[in-house]
Amino acid sequence: MSEPDRFPASPPDLAALLVERGRLAPEEVGRLTAEADRMGLSLDRLLLRSGRLEEADLLDLLSEASGIPVLRIARDRVSPAAIEAVPVRTVAHYRTMPVQFDAGVLTLATDRLRDEEETDYLRVLLGHEIAWVLTTRREIEESIKHFYGVGVDRYLNLPEGPRHAGTDAPAQPDIPAFVREVLRDAIRSNATDVHLEPTGDEGFRLRYRIDGVLYPIPLPRGIGDYRRAIVSSVKIMAQLNIAERRMPQDGRFDIGSGPDPFDVRVSVLPSRYGEALDLRILNRKATFIALRELGLEAERERIEDLLGLPSGMVLFTGPTGSGKTTSLYAALDKLNTDERKIITIEDPVEYQIPGILQLQVQPEIGFTFASGLRSVLRHDPDVVLVGEIRDGETAQIAASAALTGHLVFSTLHTGDSGSAVTRLMDMGLEPYLVASSVNGIVAQRLLRRVCAACCEEEPLDASFLPEVETLLPAGTEPPRVRRGRGCPYCRFTGYQGRQAVFEVLEVTDALRSLMVNRVPSGVLMREAIGAGLVTLRESAWRLVLDGVTSVDELVRVTRKPRPART
């Protein structure tokens, strides 16, 4: 935000309150007060900046000292009338968020105490009585983004001084700064892609892909007038031809956010209403996670059993973005010892693992998964990872390697573990070869976790009770489940982060017999479930009943099992 980080004095009894609460020693008060004066800060801001106080604790102390109540926007709803009553320029300049408008009194949220002069100025400027509530800086900033648009202060190009705060007529926007602010906001939101798309009404739509789902992101009013300037700015950053608007273009550039460097891969497509942008964000310092951190719990032991086999093929299946690569790297990290030679063939190489030889396929020169795998097998490996089995030739070589003493890992795009067997046969592998080479199949999905800041409970819909009866203790009441209402901490989505669920199919002799006879995947699944397989749907239900995810997310990500055909 544009407002300088200088604040009026703290309430006079704050220091005494801090001493009384044991947060400060009496002899520290004078020294810290003098230091705050020298830096042009209030005492509370100095303590916050130095880490001596957490913001939530500080707000409670400020409230006790001043009598101003604390409001958690995450738990309360913002009034639309309050939003309409305050111009966006005022909100951005003063870094305050309107939350309620009742009986002529406008309630504004602030993360600091305001002096009387500032309050009087806002009263005259807005034409309403002003009441203050205290809340965290993050809640204010995320609420401003949600209700007024991301990057609004960059778009408004705010001049210094309160005399400019009451008008909504923007100065000429700083478009490059606006683009950089959008990207940094996306990085802070853990977005993997930023989509900027023209619409038919001369508008512009912004969406982030967060946790695998696209979310519309509000933009400042009037930003559509600058959509060509935004596209040109991105093209300049990616060193593309700004004059070419008829052909697709691809490029890249770097951007920093905090201590981490990020690569931004740019794709430009010419659409009917103008050029559309996809900005893919890649963290150069991204690290893989260990197997114990995947949240497998009961399934982890089964996967570790598969990893302990001396040879054979282990397949990870699921749609794009289901976390297969992350699980593969976790498995390799588990096996990465001086006694094993591990080689990977990938497209692309997503993580660097010390001690493992990693190869990048290059189809344009004939270095494909199949040709690379042939060469890798002549390099005396113990463990081989093939990024993806895409064709029959790669499948044939991988299966042969698994039968000749190598432990082979790869991925397939299938809906469940049983369908992977059918897919390999469809690629041309003989049933006996599939049955003898495949040791296990791990299907997985990623479910969004309910936001802890805005979660609320509700009874489980009765239509789902037949599915969960076997998961509940006998005689228990119908369970209550959680959902996220949406708040500043989760970008008003109701979710924060993701949790993996797994379906681990270990190939037994009974399953091998069925594979040789080419039975449908549904029959394979029925046999595996009878032998104790925990399905993706069942794993997801356990997360729902534990309050980790929601029923809506379970329905979105997993499909209800259908009766197998014989």
Side-chain angles (χ1 to χ4, degrees):
M1 296 293 174
S2 61
E3 187 180 22
D5 195 21
R6 292 181 178 270
F7 304 89
S10 306
D13 52 349
L14 177 61
L17 193 58
L18 287 166
V19 172
E20 180 184 332
R21 295 286 188 272
R23 298 301 185 95
L24 286 182
E27 59 272 16
E28 291 183 291
V29 173
R31 177 178 60 82
L32 291 173
T33 301
E35 183 179 348
D37 290 340
R38 186 170 59 254
M39 296 176 66
L41 299 174
S42 59
L43 176 61
D44 58 313
R45 294 298 122 176
L46 176 66
L47 294 173
L48 189 62
R49 178 179 288 188
S50 64
R52 294 284 298 269
L53 277 180
E54 295 293 332
E55 188 175 18
D57 294 337
L58 173 61
L59 291 179
D60 290 337
L61 288 167
L62 288 176
S63 177
E64 185 174 350
S66 66
I68 297 175
V70 173
L71 174 76
R72 305 298 184 196
I73 298 179
R75 293 291 179 185
D76 294 271
R77 298 195 181 277
V78 173
S79 165
I83 301 295
E84 292 296 324
V86 184
V88 60
R89 184 168 288 265
T90 303
V91 167
H93 181 85
Y94 285 98
R95 200 174 66 243
T96 183
M97 180 65 201
V99 291
Q100 294 294 329
F101 188 30
D102 186 40
V105 178
L106 185 61
T107 302
L108 304 177
T110 176
D111 67 333
R112 62 180 177 86
L113 298 180
R114 308 282 176 149
D115 58 27
E116 291 185 9
E117 182 181 354
E118 193 172 18
T119 302
D120 289 340
Y121 182 86
L122 286 170
R123 182 184 300 114
V124 174
L125 178 67
L126 301 175
H128 303 290
E129 290 297 316
I130 302 298
W132 294 105
V133 290
L134 292 165
T135 193
T136 65
R137 173 176 292 195
R138 180 178 176 184
E139 288 195 74
I140 291 172
E141 292 183 346
E142 293 299 334
S143 295
I144 291 174
K145 292 174 190 175
H146 180 73
F147 290 103
Y148 292 95
V150 65
V152 65
D153 53 336
R154 300 298 183 188
Y155 168 63
L156 293 174
N157 203 1
L158 292 175
E160 295 296 327
R163 64 185 182 280
H164 301 284
T167 173
D168 276 332
Q172 187 67 24
D174 185 345
I175 295 300
F178 171 78
V179 170
R180 289 191 294 270
E181 179 59 30
V182 168
L183 281 169
R184 291 192 178 105
D185 179 65
I187 290 169
R188 288 190 292 267
S189 302
N190 294 318
T192 57
D193 289 83
V194 175
H195 293 268
L196 285 156
E197 304 154 325
T199 58
D201 55 357
E202 295 298 316
F204 213 44
R205 179 168 68 163
L206 171 65
R207 293 187 291 175
Y208 295 167
R209 188 175 295 280
I210 303 172
D211 294 335
V213 177
L214 278 175
Y215 292 103
I217 304 298
L219 284 166
R221 187 176 300 174
I223 194 66
D225 296 339
Y226 299 93
R227 66 184 189 182
R228 285 191 176 181
I230 292 172
V231 172
S232 295
S233 180
V234 172
K235 284 183 173 182
I236 291 170
M237 295 166 75
Q239 298 183 341
L240 301 178
N241 184 355
I242 62 172
E244 178 56 72
R245 298 176 180 172
R246 301 166 299 171
M247 295 290 293
Q249 296 188 68
D250 297 306
R252 62 171 298 278
F253 61 88
D254 301 332
I255 189 170
S257 181
D260 295 331
F262 290 82
D263 286 331
V264 180
R265 309 291 171 86
V266 179
S267 173
V268 185
L269 291 178
S271 72
R272 178 181 178 185
Y273 299 114
E275 291 176 290
L277 302 172
D278 172 39
L279 310 179
R280 174 152 294 182
I281 301 169
L282 302 171
N283 187 349
R284 284 195 230 137
K285 292 187 177 180
T287 57
F288 61 90
I289 61 177
L291 194 63
R292 65 182 180 276
E293 299 171 355
L294 286 177
L296 302 172
E297 298 181 2
E299 290 86 356
R300 182 167 57 240
E301 291 185 7
R302 295 185 176 185
I303 292 181
E304 289 182 344
D305 288 343
L306 294 174
L307 300 182
L309 296 173
S311 62
M313 186 155 52
V314 179
L315 299 172
F316 286 78
T317 75
T320 300
S322 59
K324 301 185 299 297
T325 301
T326 300
S327 296
L328 279 172
Y329 277 104
L332 289 185
D333 183 56
K334 179 78 175 178
L335 296 171
N336 189 14
T337 64
D338 290 337
E339 292 77 28
R340 291 189 180 94
K341 172 91 171 193
I342 303 176
I343 305 179
T344 74
I345 312 172
E346 307 172 63
D347 184 21
V349 175
E350 296 190 27
Y351 302 98
Q352 301 289 336
I353 308 180
I356 293 180
L357 186 60
Q358 298 174 267
L359 311 180
Q360 166 76 54
V361 302
Q362 300 182 63
E364 64 275 10
I365 61 172
F367 183 30
T368 63
F369 281 118
S371 63
L373 185 52
R374 287 195 188 94
S375 299
V376 164
L377 294 177
R378 294 193 290 269
H379 211 76
D380 188 31
D382 297 294
V383 180
V384 178
L385 179 140
V386 183
E388 182 182 348
I389 295 179
R390 297 176 178 174
D391 53 60
E393 184 181 11
T394 305
Q396 184 77 35
I397 300 171
S400 299
L403 290 174
T404 55
H406 302 88
L407 189 56
V408 179
F409 296 93
S410 192
T411 68
L412 281 174
H413 294 281
T414 61
D416 56 31
S417 52
S419 299
V421 173
T422 307
R423 179 65 56 83
L424 290 174
M425 293 180 186
D426 289 343
M427 287 181 177
L429 258 64
E430 292 296 330
Y432 75 88
L433 194 55
V434 177
S436 56
S437 63
V438 178
N439 288 337
I441 304 167
V442 181
Q444 72 177 84
R445 298 291 187 277
L446 294 175
L447 283 80
R448 292 174 295 171
R449 301 174 68 96
V450 172
C451 174
C454 64
C455 65
E456 54 190 19
E457 289 192 349
E458 61 185 9
L460 178 65
D461 190 294
S463 63
F464 291 109
L465 287 176
E467 278 197 69
V468 300
E469 283 177 343
T470 58
L471 303 177
L472 300 172
T476 59
E477 295 291 325
R480 295 182 66 82
V481 294
R482 299 172 80 185
R483 61 183 292 274
R485 187 178 62 195
C487 72
Y489 291 98
C490 61
R491 298 299 299 258
F492 295 87
T493 65
Y495 298 96
Q496 266 196 317
R498 288 191 285 183
Q499 170 72 55
V501 290
F502 295 85
E503 176 182 281
V504 185
L505 187 152
E506 298 176 81
V507 179
T508 62
D509 290 340
L511 288 175
R512 296 186 199 278
S513 297
L514 293 174
M515 291 178 188
V516 170
N517 292 320
R518 281 187 177 270
V519 300
S521 61
V523 177
L524 285 174
M525 289 297 293
R526 186 171 61 186
E527 169 66 26
I529 291 171
L533 173 72
V534 178
T535 65
L536 283 168
R537 183 86 169 189
E538 185 177 340
S539 295
W541 269 119
R542 290 176 177 175
L543 290 182
V544 171
L545 296 176
D546 288 342
V548 175
T549 191
S550 68
V551 174
D552 289 343
E553 184 68 355
L554 173 141
V555 172
R556 184 185 72 86
V557 173
T558 68
R559 62 186 182 189
K560 188 175 181 179
R562 289 177 289 183
R565 296 180 181 178
T566 57

